[in-house]
Amino acid sequence: MRLDKFLKVSRLIKRRTVANEACDAGRVSVNGKPAKASLHVKTGDIIEIVFGQKTVKAEVLSLAESTKKEDAKEMFRYL
């Protein structure tokens, strides 16, 4: 699954276009390397997102094409 789609489906970032812009600006890294929106993520990957002064680190636990809001939290865990 593409990184921008995972960020949107898992609700780490609310909109796919915003996820795309964050990747283009270099604010998202996967496994310690800057990532483009088209990067394919897999379970076990560590995603790090920089929101201004705050940094969010999460591990990918599962992938799904779509999910309900309640189930989105099960797709990742914060580190």
Side-chain angles (χ1 to χ4, degrees):
M1 173 182 287
R2 287 175 54 109
L3 176 59
D4 58 346
K5 183 165 184 177
F6 176 80
L7 293 173
K8 185 227 179 250
V9 171
S10 67
R11 311 277 199 301
L12 280 168
I13 296 180
K14 291 191 179 199
R15 289 185 210 94
R16 191 166 177 179
T17 53
V18 175
N20 222 321
E21 290 167 3
C23 292
D24 290 343
R27 296 193 312 257
V28 180
S29 61
V30 176
N31 297 326
K33 298 176 187 160
K36 292 186 178 180
S38 61
L39 179 85
H40 284 274
V41 293
K42 50 195 175 304
T43 55
D45 283 348
I46 306 295
I47 299 174
E48 194 169 337
I49 309 166
V50 178
F51 294 108
Q53 300 294 83
K54 184 180 173 190
T55 301
V56 174
K57 215 173 192 185
E59 179 183 1
V60 179
L61 297 179
S62 66
L63 301 173
E65 289 298 314
S66 63
T67 183
K68 294 179 183 170
K69 186 176 182 181
E70 305 84 44
D71 300 334
K73 295 180 187 104
E74 298 171 10
M75 294 181 69
F76 65 94
R77 72 178 167 100
Y78 290 112
L79 300 174

